[in-house]
Amino acid sequence: MRGSNMERLVLSWVNKPYAFEMMPGLNRLGRNPTNDFRVADASVSSFHCEITLGPDNSVHVRDLASTNGTYIDGISALDGFVRVGQTLRLGSVEFKLESVMVADPIPVPEMAMAGGENTQMWTKDEKPKTLLGKLTQTLKLTFGR
């Protein structure tokens, strides 16, 4: 069974190897480490802006009276919406809002634990018949099969 793919919205830092996955609800960005996403750049205010990811994947940005401003596609924005493909600039730091497909994890069945009913056991005098048996005897481990 394969996992299903889900759309995720990500803010990718332009020309840097960093990205932030937008979480549902309120996301705070700024230089202060208590923000949800810390942007370590002197042009970004300590508490620069809030981004709200709505249930319909709408992205609303609100500037928090930052020193160097918040811009959507180069236009100053105290309050506005960002769409996939648009740039969001905080001070001199540019991000691009991107949609990425992420596969949900595939559930893995639990493995039989060593010591269970499928454990192969033998005495010191007996020789194991399989390579696995020989290896586990050498290591003095029980191994479930």
Side-chain angles (χ1 to χ4, degrees), residues 55-74:
D56 59 350
N57 269 0
S58 62
V59 179
H60 179 256
V61 179
R62 186 169 69 96
D63 186 85
L64 298 175
S66 65
T67 303
N68 294 318
T70 300
Y71 300 83
I72 299 171
D73 279 346

Side-chain angles (χ1 to χ4, degrees), residues 24-121:
L26 188 65
N27 299 268
R28 292 184 179 94
L29 282 79
R31 208 173 60 245
N32 190 293
T34 62
N35 285 293
D36 298 308
F37 302 113
R38 183 170 187 241
V39 183
D41 185 276
S43 69
V44 175
S45 294
S46 293
F47 300 97
H48 200 101
C49 70
E50 293 178 340
I51 299 177
T52 304
L53 178 59
D56 59 350
N57 269 0
S58 62
V59 179
H60 179 256
V61 179
R62 186 169 69 96
D63 186 85
L64 298 175
S66 65
T67 303
N68 294 318
T70 300
Y71 300 83
I72 299 171
D73 279 346
I75 299 168
S76 180
L78 296 176
D79 198 281
F81 286 90
V82 182
R83 292 184 310 276
V84 171
Q86 289 187 303
T87 59
L88 175 67
R89 192 173 90 223
L90 311 179
S92 63
V93 177
E94 278 195 340
F95 295 95
K96 185 171 188 171
L97 185 64
E98 298 177 314
S99 173
V100 296
M101 295 305 284
V102 179
D104 280 344
I106 299 170
V108 178
E110 289 187 34
M111 301 299 288
M113 298 298 293
E117 64 184 58
N118 295 326
T119 301
Q120 188 180 53
M121 307 263 312

